[in-house]
Amino acid sequence: FACASKHSGNYCVTASVNQVDFLNPVEVGELLTIKATVNFTGNTSMVIGMRVESENIRKGYVRHCNSSYFTMVAKNDEGENTKVPGLILDSVESVRRYVRAIKRLQQGRISSSIFSDEVFDLDTFLPMLHGQNAKLELDS
């Protein structure tokens, strides 16, 4: 929220959480640090990449424990979506993050379209169930 609001200059709301990867546990008493970056900007939305690190302050080690991607939408004072500033891509890393966000958005759109109730084709996906821990009992 803070990262998105700071970039846009507006109040922001969460539109979706694309991916959350839990990599390592956080132990009781460890200090957490969340690093957030604007990875992508659309017209009114932003993809915020977050990296969570845990630090064992007694033993002195830091571990990457979580990564996630939130889509945030900027709102004006009337609660309507409002334009966000674009990004200045000033490093190879910023370009990598931007392009990765584009690919993630494209994959989400494809997945949403082929799995919608209106167009889902059961016969196309039935072979994927072979060898899975599921029993198929469809009503005729």
Side-chain angles (χ1 to χ4, degrees):
F1 169 81
C3 181
S5 294
K6 199 171 184 179
H7 178 78
S8 69
N10 289 284
Y11 181 79
C12 294
V13 297
T14 304
S16 67
V17 178
N18 180 275
Q19 181 177 339
V20 179
D21 294 323
F22 293 99
L23 307 171
N24 288 295
V26 177
E27 303 298 334
V28 173
E30 289 185 331
L31 177 66
L32 289 182
T33 303
I34 302 174
K35 299 175 181 179
T37 59
V38 180
N39 291 352
F40 173 84
T41 51
N43 195 27
T44 62
S45 65
M46 299 154 279
V47 173
I48 309 299
M50 287 182 274
R51 178 184 173 101
V52 180
E53 296 176 340
S54 62
E55 179 180 358
N56 184 310
I57 56 177
R58 288 201 264 160
K59 296 180 180 175
Y61 62 82
V62 175
R63 290 184 301 181
H64 178 197
C65 56
N66 179 299
S67 286
S68 56
Y69 301 94
F70 282 59
T71 299
M72 306 293 291
V73 176
K75 299 288 186 173
N76 63 20
D77 291 338
E78 289 75 42
E80 300 164 332
N81 294 358
T82 189
K83 288 183 91 50
V84 298
L87 281 181
I88 297 171
L89 305 175
D90 58 0
S91 67
V92 173
E93 182 65 14
S94 64
V95 172
R96 184 189 70 79
R97 288 177 177 161
Y98 198 91
V99 172
R100 186 174 182 199
I102 291 170
K103 286 303 230 180
R104 200 178 296 111
L105 290 167
Q106 289 172 342
Q107 289 168 345
R109 287 186 193 115
I110 290 168
S111 181
S112 293
S113 66
I114 65 172
F115 292 110
S116 71
D117 290 342
E118 297 81 27
V119 299
F120 180 73
D121 180 38
L122 180 63
D123 292 333
T124 300
F125 295 100
L126 275 177
M128 292 177 67
L129 298 177
H130 181 72
Q132 297 297 318
N133 188 19
K135 182 179 179 182
L136 190 62
E137 292 184 358
L138 297 176
D139 294 331
S140 296

